[in-house]
Amino acid sequence: IAVGQIVPLALEGAVLGMGVFVGASTKISWIATDNTSVASVDIAYSTDGGATFPNVIATGLANTGTFVWTVPNTPTTQARVKVAAHDGACNTTSSDASDANFTIRNPIITATAGPGGTITPSGLVSVPFGGNQSFAISASDKCHAILDVKVDGVSVGAVTSFTFTDVQTNHTIAATFAQLGPFTITATAGPGGSITPSGAVSVPCGGSQTFAI
């Protein structure tokens, strides 16, 4: 009996860097062959890089070559999957495990704010798979205003809040802010007197300006 090519399919290609998400459905595939027949297949996973496989995924499966696994809430950066195939005729077992570690975790929303404002919460925000996450955006003072908010690189306008719903992958949200001002005070004096300074006087937002008449 031989078992090979144990692959959590969600780790293939571009998804490899994200790992698999807690609560997500991830397809595991394998190839098991025997000179007579494979009676059943057991699947387990490791959280210690394959040193041990104490966590049962399924037992007594038919040798279909695939199984859809609902990823449990066991965060780790050292997950591996092992498939054991049983030969009913000779009562022998052979097994093989995935070749590399993968990560089990929640999706991450990366929230950032530029100078002049805040986004709450900020930083790397872990969100349960399928859950919702709201963000509040605000200027830091009266001399700043929200310029734009981008979600996954696409503008959603100068909004003060945004909610991600049914989160099933990583996202980004980034807020930028504009500084208001300077403002112009136009100072004029009629005949017989003066005002200093006069004319168009530029004053920064929040600043003060004195005139002598």
Side-chain angles (χ1 to χ4, degrees):
I1 188 168
V3 182
Q5 297 185 10
I6 312 304
V7 183
L9 289 184
L11 299 182
E12 291 184 343
V15 187
L16 179 62
M18 295 194 301
V20 295
F21 297 130
V22 172
S25 295
T26 297
K27 185 180 288 185
I28 301 169
S29 69
W30 69 89
I31 298 174
T33 59
D34 186 60
N35 59 352
T36 57
S37 64
V38 176
S40 64
V41 168
D42 300 335
I43 309 177
Y45 74 98
S46 169
T47 58
D48 56 14
T52 62
F53 286 86
N55 308 293
V56 175
I57 295 176
T59 59
L61 297 174
N63 185 30
T64 61
T66 62
F67 178 80
V68 177
W69 177 34
T70 300
V71 181
N73 189 13
T74 52
T76 180
T77 59
Q78 295 182 301
R80 296 197 183 204
V81 169
K82 181 175 75 172
V83 173
H86 306 285
D87 180 342
C90 301
N91 196 29
T92 59
T93 299
S94 179
S95 65
D96 192 20
S98 50
D99 296 329
N101 294 339
F102 60 92
T103 298
I104 297 175
R105 63 171 176 83
N106 285 324
I108 298 293
I109 299 176
T110 303
T112 57
T118 61
I119 186 169
T120 305
S122 64
L124 303 179
V125 181
S126 177
V127 183
F129 185 85
N132 303 332
Q133 179 64 54
S134 296
F135 292 87
I137 301 101
S138 61
S140 57
D141 55 43
K142 63 184 179 181
C143 289
H144 289 86
I146 300 170
L147 178 63
D148 193 21
V149 176
K150 290 184 178 179
V151 173
D152 296 331
V154 178
S155 175
V156 294
V159 297
T160 57
S161 66
F162 186 86
T163 299
F164 292 88
T165 60
D166 190 24
V167 175
Q168 297 190 20
T169 189
N170 295 334
H171 293 282
T172 62
I173 181 169
T176 54
F177 302 87
Q179 184 169 0
L180 303 180
F183 301 103
T184 298
I185 299 176
T186 302
T188 59
S194 64
I195 187 170
T196 307
S198 63
V201 181
S202 180
V203 182
C205 181
S208 301
Q209 178 64 53
T210 300
F211 292 86
I213 298 99

